[in-house]
Amino acid sequence: MLFSVIIPVYNRPEEVDELLESLTRQSFTDFEVLIVEDGSTRPCREIVDKYREELKVRYFYKENSGQGFSRNYGFERAEGEYFVVFDSDCLIPPHYFKTVARYLEKHPVDAWGGPDRAHPEFSPLQKAISYTMSSPLTTGGIRGHRNGRKPFHPRSFNMGISREVFQETGGYRIPRMGEDIEFSIRILKSGFKAVLIRDAYVYHKRRANLLQFFRQVHFFGRARINIRNYYPDEVNFIHSLPALFTVGMAVLGILLIADPGHFLFLALFPALYFLAIFLHAYGREKNLPIAGLSILSAGVQLFAYGSGFIREWAGFRRTS
């Protein structure tokens, strides 16, 4: 068997249903699916049972330990030559495994990742969030893209590794909060090669509203500082930009309240920035409501990541 698909899940049976349904449409079928239920109170066993005639799927229930260790649990039980990790809120296009299999046949590699996109049936807000998480004007600009100066670091929403990588590295070292960043760094430091396969994309739903999106990205900001405990050089100036944005907007708000007559001109700078986001989003999506919502989602993303970064950095400073 070529691929083993590992999907950790926590209280998301509806997402698992949609994900498994998308896997039944694959044009390349030499894969198995391992659903690892991470201590859920809303298990998805009945959902998985619906697909046993269409997919080679196995279901495991274990105590909650976080998505990183749940993926390791699946790796230990997988039968494939390669292990593929998806998040439960992804939909997989029919060509995914065929695309990866062809790539690996021509260019054998140890690990890969792919970008994420918005499905045509996503809501306008989900499409705006997807834009924000892949735009060069936000912190999402590096997701699904390769910086020519640095090796590509896959992320666990869409990631594949060889069996050898798992055997050599032992898999995920931390259960959550940057576990995929740490794992990707360690894969490369172990001498393995990781690549971006641009056509191996997934449709990533992320969150249904801005509050859920805020909580998710706030956690991402905290996770970046957590990585500092393992690789201090992996937190640099670019990662602090959302924190600087957050502080800057707070200072601007105070100045405008204190003396709007003298400081109103400063509001021109964020206004121009968000106008650029609106125009860029409209150019990509050709949809005014999505472009308008992209301003909101970008603001939420920057503030959420920045506040999470500051929160965890302050805790790091107190304990170091």
Side-chain angles (χ1 to χ4, degrees), residues 10 71 136 152 178 315:
Y10 180 73
R71 294 178 186 122
F152 177 69

Side-chain angles (χ1 to χ4, degrees), residues 87-157:
D87 281 350
S88 63
D89 59 351
C90 288
L91 303 175
I92 316 305
H95 68 271
Y96 182 91
F97 289 107
K98 186 175 183 178
T99 297
V100 174
R102 285 180 172 177
Y103 187 95
L104 294 176
E105 185 178 359
K106 296 179 180 179
H107 313 284
V109 294
D110 307 299
W112 75 87
D116 54 344
R117 297 184 181 182
H119 193 278
E121 296 182 4
F122 283 3
S123 71
L125 179 58
Q126 286 176 314
K127 290 179 179 178
I129 290 173
S130 180
Y131 162 79
T132 300
M133 293 300 290
S134 60
S135 171
L137 300 179
T138 69
T139 64
I142 61 172
R143 294 178 64 90
H145 299 276
R146 184 182 186 278
N147 185 329
R149 294 172 298 176
K150 294 183 178 181
F152 177 69
H153 289 70
R155 294 290 183 267
S156 290
F157 70 89

Side-chain angles (χ1 to χ4, degrees), residues 204-217:
H204 202 176
K205 290 183 293 183
R206 305 190 188 282
R207 297 298 177 259
N209 60 58
L210 290 176
L211 179 58
Q212 293 175 346
F213 182 52
F214 176 91
R215 290 170 176 167
Q216 182 184 46
V217 181

Side-chain angles (χ1 to χ4, degrees), residues 30 73 96 124 128 204 222 225 241 290:
D30 188 17
Y73 186 96
Y96 182 91
H204 202 176
R222 295 180 59 200
I225 293 296
L241 291 178
I290 294 174

